[in-house]
Amino acid sequence: MAEFTMPALGADMTEGTLLEWLVHPGDQVHKGDIVAVVDTAKAAIEVECFESGVVERLLVEPAETVPVGTPLAVINPVSTVTQLSAPAAPAEPTAARASAPTPLVRRLAEERGVDLSTVHGTGPGGRITRADVTAAPPPEVAAASQQSRAAAAPPVAAAPVVPPPARTTSRVRATPMARRLAAEGGVDLAGVLGTGADGAIRAADVRAMLTGSEIAPAPQTAPTVEVSPTPDRHAETAGRSEAMRRAIGDLMARSKREIPHYYLSTTIDLGPALVWLREQNRGLPVSERLVPAAMLLKAAARAAREVPQLNGFFTDGRFVPAPEVHLGVAVSLRGGGLVAPAIHRAADLPLAELMARLRDLVARARAGRLRGSETTDPTITVTSLGDQGVEAVFGVIYPPQVALVGLGKVVDRPCAVDGLLGVRPVVTATLSADHRASDGATGARYLAALERLLRTPEEL
């Protein structure tokens, strides 16, 4: 038996709140499947499973807060399941096993009423992805298509009509906070009218149900009602913001207390890089054009690979270099605070793919849909306040990492080039590094590599 435990989703996390299970006992899961949603002081994070097998039992109920390392579920590994099973029939092809949908896909299909047996999978090995379920025709369209095909077929004996199962709380579209409030107040979400996007139930909808003496669910055809903010909602937001600020403050205080920082900066001429970028974007649709941010991040990742003394972790009193560059990107959240999830193997990604991943990561971070692996393994972090007009930023290292790169706003400055004075686009790049892992000369080599890569963007 393998225990699925509460993961440490960041160096500052000591406990987490289980918001939602995406699997049930008896479900088969694969390594990397999203099986639960956990709330930290910063965000709600989707947690992946690190074992393949069958969920035997769930040990922690939603809305329960437990310390990091607490067992949440028991998973029967694949090898054990195979040994305990009856004499096997002819094994299914590997491709058939790989095409089994993940728990998150099954959950989305249940919410949308999509029959997965009618969906063609476009993922690896024919696996059905979330995009496949989203693109599937609505149930009424699929039913109409089946009826038209049935009309053309010879008549057959009618099967008994089985009424659809009643909508259960687990299949209702609701925010994690709404589910928590419903569990605490004993509210059946199946009877709550959602006023959020696509009818999703928000926390305010549950509060309205709790405060009303006799509130009947409104008909599905009723117009969307916008619930005005209440003092409780403001208190909830303020409490969340306060918890995040406390978590960030504690971690940054620990960083400044334990890590002997040193700081370097340089000004880089981006003239050649921007000319190259315009040439690359020529003829491309607007939605596919590269932006300077992607080029800066790629250069930061490549420079970290060239100077590995800054790419890794300081643990157990020594520096441990990382085999890959997982570039952490500081993302400000709309409600205040920030997170720094990782773009995995950023140094090896083509610019177009890196930009697509950056957009996806920022969108999911602000929507509270980050995955656990994205918050736990950044090997070096980049922060940029250029879009806020800041020309230079000297950041605080995120332990156990040993370096943080700061990028400012691209500005036009008078600059001497080949003995001639002109106006050039420049950016200020800074480095905050850990003196326990490197010295100023190492940091200088990193900034020199960053400048070289940006002056020769074709290397990216």
Side-chain angles (χ1 to χ4, degrees):
M1 300 294 177
E3 290 183 338
F4 172 66
T5 61
M6 174 65 73
L9 302 172
D12 54 341
M13 179 176 169
T14 59
E15 62 180 18
T17 301
L18 177 68
L19 293 183
E20 187 176 4
W21 281 112
L22 302 178
V23 294
H24 304 283
D27 285 354
Q28 185 169 2
V29 295
H30 300 84
K31 184 177 180 179
D33 286 352
I34 300 172
V35 297
V37 181
V38 170
D39 191 21
T40 70
K42 292 185 178 181
I45 297 176
E46 298 174 343
V47 180
E48 301 102 320
C49 178
F50 297 99
E51 292 280 350
S52 295
V54 174
V55 179
E56 182 168 304
R57 63 182 182 274
L58 306 179
L59 306 177
V60 175
E61 295 296 324
E64 191 173 340
T65 300
V66 297
V68 169
T70 300
L72 302 180
V74 176
I75 297 176
N76 206 357
V78 171
S79 57
T80 306
V81 174
T82 304
Q83 293 171 4
L84 295 179
S85 61
E92 295 181 2
T94 303
R97 292 196 300 270
S99 63
T102 66
L104 194 61
V105 168
R106 294 198 297 268
R107 179 67 173 277
L108 181 61
E110 289 177 355
E111 293 176 352
R112 292 176 172 266
V114 174
D115 182 2
L116 288 176
S117 64
T118 65
V119 178
H120 174 68
T122 61
R127 172 173 287 187
I128 299 174
T129 67
R130 280 191 280 186
D132 298 329
V133 176
T134 304
E140 56 272 15
V141 175
S145 176
Q146 291 176 356
Q147 289 175 2
S148 63
R149 288 195 298 268
V156 295
V161 177
V162 179
R167 189 174 71 150
T168 62
T169 299
S170 63
R171 297 186 183 184
V172 175
R173 291 177 58 83
T175 66
M177 182 57 69
R179 293 185 186 277
R180 183 191 301 181
L181 292 177
E184 293 173 353
V187 174
D188 182 6
L189 289 178
V192 180
L193 174 66
T195 61
D198 297 327
I201 298 172
R202 303 182 304 155
D205 302 326
V206 179
R207 291 196 188 92
M209 178 67 76
L210 289 171
T211 56
S213 56
E214 293 182 4
I215 302 179
Q220 294 297 322
T221 56
T224 300
V225 179
E226 182 63 30
V227 180
S228 59
T230 63
D232 286 345
R233 187 176 179 183
H234 288 307
E236 171 194 319
T237 303
R240 177 85 180 183
S241 178
E242 181 181 349
M244 179 175 289
R245 286 258 59 89
R246 190 186 312 113
I248 294 173
D250 289 346
L251 184 63
M252 295 298 97
R254 170 189 159 193
S255 175
K256 294 294 286 186
R257 183 173 60 250
E258 298 179 1
I259 299 178
H261 288 60
Y262 69 87
Y263 304 95
L264 303 173
S265 71
T266 190
T267 301
I268 301 174
D269 181 2
L270 288 185
L274 295 181
V275 170
W276 178 84
L277 202 61
R278 283 194 294 270
E279 290 297 324
Q280 296 297 309
N281 288 332
R282 192 183 303 276
L284 290 177
V286 174
S287 60
E288 299 179 10
R289 291 177 183 172
L290 303 173
V291 296
M295 185 172 53
L296 292 170
L297 291 178
K298 179 64 180 293
R302 285 283 302 276
R305 188 164 65 183
E306 292 185 18
V307 187
Q309 296 89 341
L310 299 178
N311 183 60
F313 310 99
F314 193 88
T315 57
D316 298 327
R318 65 188 184 91
F319 172 68
V320 180
E324 301 281 354
V325 179
H326 301 316
L327 193 68
V329 180
V331 179
S332 61
L333 304 179
R334 293 190 179 94
L338 64 113
V339 292
I343 299 177
H344 292 111
R345 299 174 183 83
D348 299 319
L349 296 177
L351 274 176
E353 185 175 349
L354 189 147
M355 189 174 71
R357 292 199 187 184
L358 175 64
R359 288 173 173 169
D360 172 68
L361 198 67
V362 171
R364 288 191 293 107
R366 290 174 175 167
R369 291 177 43 241
L370 288 175
R371 297 185 177 182
S373 60
E374 293 167 337
T375 64
T376 57
D377 57 5
T379 57
I380 184 172
T381 295
V382 174
T383 183
S384 174
L385 293 174
D387 58 338
Q388 304 293 323
V390 175
E391 294 187 17
V393 52
F394 292 85
V396 181
I397 299 170
Y398 189 97
Q401 298 170 40
V402 298
L404 183 140
V405 181
L407 298 169
K409 179 183 179 181
V410 179
V411 295
D412 290 333
R413 288 285 183 268
C415 183
V417 179
D418 297 330
L420 298 176
L421 184 63
V423 177
R424 309 284 291 180
V426 299
V427 65
T428 299
T430 65
L431 176 70
S432 306
D434 186 343
H435 242 314
R436 299 173 301 177
S438 66
D439 293 318
T442 303
R445 284 198 292 115
Y446 176 86
L447 290 180
L450 180 66
E451 181 174 10
R452 175 181 56 76
L453 288 166
L454 290 173
R455 286 181 176 273
T456 56
E458 60 276 4
E459 294 186 23
L460 300 176

